[in-house]
Amino acid sequence: MSIAETIKEQLLGMEQQVEEEKLFLVGYLIPMVDLIPQGDLNDLEWFAEFALFVEDAVESDGLNDRDVEQLAEIFEALQPEEA
């Protein structure tokens, strides 16, 4: 299973049990997973690309500071293990 598939599965699982204030953010991330191609990237490189993409989207969408803090918590939970 690719890192993108793993992350998407984790987000879908989170969506079922995350506290209500984070539900929007988990839903915000799910479609973004498919926008980052795996290509020749290893898992950590892909995750870094995904993080940069989300960071740009957050700036473009003007999410507030609380949302950004909660996104950081979600990303912490998703962080892949180093191989």
Side-chain angles (χ1 to χ4, degrees):
M1 181 180 294
S2 75
I3 181 69
E5 291 168 330
T6 301
I7 295 295
K8 192 167 189 176
E9 237 177 53
Q10 288 177 304
L11 285 167
L12 290 169
M14 265 186 208
E15 191 175 40
Q16 300 304 311
Q17 53 192 328
V18 75
E19 51 272 22
E20 194 171 322
E21 67 177 339
K22 289 184 183 175
L23 188 57
F24 164 77
L25 296 171
V26 172
Y28 179 76
L29 292 174
I30 290 170
M32 291 186 195
V33 172
D34 296 328
L35 300 176
I36 310 301
Q38 179 82 40
D40 293 332
L41 303 176
N42 68 35
D43 289 356
L44 293 176
E45 290 168 337
W46 182 92
F47 193 79
E49 288 293 318
F50 179 56
L52 287 173
F53 183 84
V54 170
E55 189 177 311
D56 287 346
V58 164
E59 279 184 36
S60 295
D61 293 340
L63 270 60
N64 66 38
D65 290 344
R66 181 71 181 130
D67 288 342
V68 172
E69 287 172 22
Q70 290 179 331
L71 271 175
E73 292 170 15
I74 293 168
F75 261 81
E76 187 68 32
L78 295 173
Q79 181 70 38
E81 302 280 324
E82 286 202 42

